[in-house]
Amino acid sequence: MSNKMWGGRFGAKPDPIMEEINASIDFDRQLYRQDIAASKAHAAMLAKTGIITAKDAKRIVHGLDTILSEIEAGKFVFKRALEDIHMNVESRLEELIGPAAGRLHTARSRNDQVATDLRLWVRDRIDGIDAALAAYQRALAEKALAHAATVMPGFTHLQTAQPVTFGHHLLAYVEMAARDRGRFADARARLNESPLGAAALAGTSFPIDRALTAATLGFARPMANSLDAVADRDFVLETLAAGAIAAVHLSRFAAEIVLWSSPLVGFIGLSDRFTTGSSIMPQKRNPDAAELVRAKAGRIVGALTALFAVMKGLPLAYQKDLQEDKEGVIDALGALKLSVDAMTGMVRDMEPDVARMRHAAGEGYATATDLADWLTRALDLPFREAHRVTGRIVAKAAAAGVALDKLPLAAMKAVEPRITKAVFDVLAVGESVKSRTVYGGTAPKNVAAQAKRWLKRLQKGA
Ligand code: ARG
C-alpha cells in the first residue's frame, strides 16, 4: 500500500521531493507530549460517550503511554515517510496494539488535532517563559535594592543628561518585563479554548463530548466555530507579538550591557560565566551572551513577520500553508526563553564599578538642571530665564575646564548676583538624585521602596 492513512485512494508512492516538502516531523516531533495528551483525552471521551468500547480505549491509552516513554527514552524511531508527529504516533500505536489503534481517529481529523496540540504547546511555552521572566525580574529587583543609591549618569541622546541611580535604571526593566508578562497572560487566556472536535472543518456526526475533552486538557471551553477552530492561528501571532516585544526589551538592555562593559565606559564587570575570551587577544573579555540576546530579537521579530505573511489572504478552513506556523514559533519561543535566562544570569553576576559610575555622573554638567531648578525655586526666576542663566554658568565652567560644583561662587555671581553659596547643596550628584522624590523618580529612597515592593510581589508569585 502506498500510504497507511490514505492508501485506499492512492496507487503510487510519493516522489522523494514530495515527501521532503510535505514532512513536518523534523520540527513537530517537539509536540509529542501534547499530541499524546490530546489523544488520550480523545480516547477516554470516545469510551465515555460509547463511541468506542472501554476495552479499546484502555488499550489505546496504554499504548500511548508506552509511546510517550519510548520517545522520552530516545528509543522512538521517527519516520519522515509518516510525515508528522500525529501519523508517527498513530502508526506506532498500531504496531503496539493492533487494529484497535484505528479507532482512535474516530470523530477527529489531523486538522483539529494539530490545532489542539499547538495550542497546548504554546500554552506550555508561555508558562515557562512567564516563570523565566519572573526570575529575571527578581534578579533585577535584588540588584536594584543593593544599588538603590549607586549614582550613575542618565542619558538622553546617549549624552550625559541627569544623574540617576543604577537601581532606578534596573527597575525600568522590571516594569517592562511586567508588561511583557501581562501580554503573555492575555494571549494565554485567549488561546485557552479547545479546537478538538471540530474534526476536518465541519464538526462531526458522532455524539462526542467536546466540553469533556476541553476540560481534561485544561482548556476553558471548546471553540464555538469549527471552521475557526481549524483555520485560526491568531494565538500564535499574538504569542509571537508578545515575544517580539519582550525580545526587543531584552535587546535594549543587552545593548546597554555591551556598552557598559566596554573598557571605554567601564560601568560594569561581567562574570566569567557569561563572557568568552578571544583566541588571539589574551586580554579580551567579550560580552557574547549579551550580544546574542541583542541579535536573537531579530530572529524573534522575523518569526512574527513570517507568520503574518503566511496567514495573509489564506482562505478558510485548513490549508497546508498552516503547517508553516510551527518552525518559526518553536525557534522563536526557544530563543526567547534562552535569552531571558541568559539575561538573568548576567544580571545576577554583574558588578557595577560604583566609583567610576559616580565620577561619570558628575561629568558633562549633569546637575545643570538642578542649578536651573534652584534658580527658579530660590530666586523665583521663570524657568526659561533660569535655563538661560544656567547655560551661561555652564559655558563659564566649560571655559575654565571645571565641573559645576567646582566653579567659584564669584564666577556664578558674575552671571547672576543673587546666587548664594546655598546653591552648592544641589550641584553634587548625590544631592541631585536625592531631590528627585516625585513618584516614579530616582531618589534612592523611592528606588529602595520600589525594589522592595517588587520583591514582595514576586515572592507572592505575581
Ligand atoms: N502536519 C500538519 C500540520 O502541521 C498536520 C495537519 C495535516 N492536515 C491535513 N489535512 N493534511 O498542519
Side-chain angles (χ1 to χ4, degrees):
M1 200 191 286
S2 57
N3 180 295
K4 257 198 189 130
M5 307 295 163
W6 53 77
R9 169 78 173 78
F10 284 63
K13 275 176 165 277
D15 189 275
I17 293 172
M18 177 60 201
E19 198 171 286
E20 191 174 341
I21 196 171
N22 202 36
S24 53
I25 189 60
D26 292 340
F27 45 90
D28 69 16
R29 60 202 283 173
Q30 296 200 46
L31 311 186
Y32 72 89
R33 214 176 285 130
Q34 292 75 17
D35 191 69
I36 288 171
S39 285
K40 283 171 69 176
H42 184 66
M45 179 278 293
L46 290 177
K48 184 104 191 283
T49 49
I51 297 168
I52 66 172
T53 64
K55 212 164 128 197
D56 280 343
K58 209 172 148 192
R59 278 198 200 108
I60 289 169
V61 167
H62 186 254
L64 289 168
D65 282 334
T66 305
I67 293 171
L68 180 64
S69 40
E70 286 178 354
I71 296 176
E72 298 211 303
K75 285 197 214 125
F76 190 92
V77 187
F78 291 99
K79 296 184 187 130
R80 191 183 262 177
L82 291 168
E83 198 181 317
D84 57 24
I85 184 64
H86 325 295
M87 297 208 285
N88 269 272
V89 169
E90 193 179 324
S91 164
R92 177 69 183 136
L93 188 65
E94 198 193 344
E95 283 172 18
L96 288 171
I97 69 165
R103 300 198 183 274
L104 172 61
H105 215 52
T106 313
R108 186 177 78 169
S109 152
R110 277 188 297 154
N111 298 349
D112 60 340
Q113 192 179 357
V114 74
T116 304
D117 293 1
L118 191 58
R119 276 176 195 263
L120 291 172
W121 184 89
V122 169
R123 195 177 73 184
D124 287 347
R125 295 305 275 191
I126 288 177
D127 292 344
I129 288 168
D130 183 68
L133 282 171
Y136 168 62
Q137 287 181 300
R138 211 169 297 123
L140 285 165
E142 273 163 12
K143 244 318 107 104
L145 186 58
H147 292 283
T150 299
V151 179
M152 70 179 283
F155 300 97
T156 60
H157 314 265
L158 204 55
Q159 306 288 317
T160 304
Q162 293 173 350
V164 295
T165 76
F166 186 51
H168 196 52
H169 196 113
L170 297 179
L171 287 180
Y173 287 104
V174 176
E175 298 289 337
M176 289 179 235
R179 292 193 296 275
D180 292 329
R181 292 179 66 195
R183 272 180 282 272
F184 277 117
D186 289 348
R188 190 194 195 285
R190 253 187 303 279
L191 76 72
N192 203 28
E193 293 188 347
S194 176
L196 201 56
L201 74 164
T204 176
S205 57
F206 287 98
I208 60 170
D209 184 346
R210 293 191 62 204
L212 176 60
T213 47
T216 309
L217 296 169
F219 287 117
R221 64 194 77 84
M223 291 180 76
N225 183 293
S226 62
L227 294 170
D228 178 45
V230 295
D232 196 75
R233 293 293 181 273
D234 66 17
F235 67 99
V236 184
L237 288 171
E238 217 180 325
T239 304
L240 282 174
I245 297 172
V248 165
H249 285 153
L250 295 179
S251 82
R252 296 181 71 174
F253 190 20
E256 294 193 315
I257 290 175
V258 172
L259 181 72
W260 292 347
S261 65
S262 161
L264 285 175
V265 176
F267 284 180
I268 57 166
L270 294 173
S271 70
D272 289 355
R273 304 188 326 137
F274 287 95
T275 49
T276 63
S278 157
S279 56
I280 175 167
M281 298 164 283
Q283 85 286 8
K284 297 264 325 246
R285 173 190 292 288
N286 297 325
D288 293 38
E291 294 170 85
L292 288 164
V293 169
R294 185 170 63 182
K296 281 182 195 298
R299 266 169 60 191
I300 297 167
V301 171
L304 172 63
T305 311
L307 186 58
F308 269 129
V310 168
M311 297 306 295
K312 186 199 164 293
L314 209 58
L316 299 184
Y318 179 85
Q319 318 294 339
K320 189 72 174 216
D321 309 51
L322 292 172
Q323 179 168 289
E324 290 289 322
D325 60 355
K326 281 171 225 59
E327 268 181 285
V329 71
I330 290 171
D331 177 71
L333 297 187
L336 179 61
K337 169 75 164 58
L338 194 56
S339 299
V340 178
D341 290 345
M343 292 300 280
T344 304
M346 280 186 278
V347 169
R348 280 194 191 126
D349 288 6
M350 69 170 58
E351 305 247 10
D353 184 334
V354 173
R356 192 162 176 137
M357 277 185 174
R358 194 180 182 89
H359 178 76
E363 295 201 318
Y365 311 102
T367 55
T369 314
D370 298 272
L371 174 53
D373 288 351
W374 184 88
L375 293 169
T376 304
R377 251 192 335 261
L379 308 184
D380 198 28
L381 293 187
F383 183 76
R384 282 288 159 236
E385 175 60 17
H387 187 288
R388 217 164 6 250
V389 170
T390 304
R392 287 170 60 201
I393 293 173
V394 167
K396 267 185 183 285
V402 296
L404 267 185
D405 60 343
K406 297 290 175 305
L407 189 69
L409 182 59
M412 293 194 208
K413 277 182 174 298
V415 178
E416 168 51 66
R418 287 177 294 162
I419 295 179
T420 66
K421 70 175 191 316
V423 74
F424 288 99
D425 290 347
V426 302
L427 296 181
V429 292
E431 298 310 313
S432 170
V433 293
K434 255 190 233 157
S435 71
R436 299 276 193 276
T437 52
V438 67
Y439 178 74
T442 195
K445 73 172 194 326
N446 287 26
V447 174
Q450 287 286 347
K452 282 184 196 149
R453 181 182 68 86
W454 271 115
L455 288 170
K456 206 156 137 197
R457 196 169 140 181
L458 290 162
Q459 189 132 39
K460 282 201 216 119

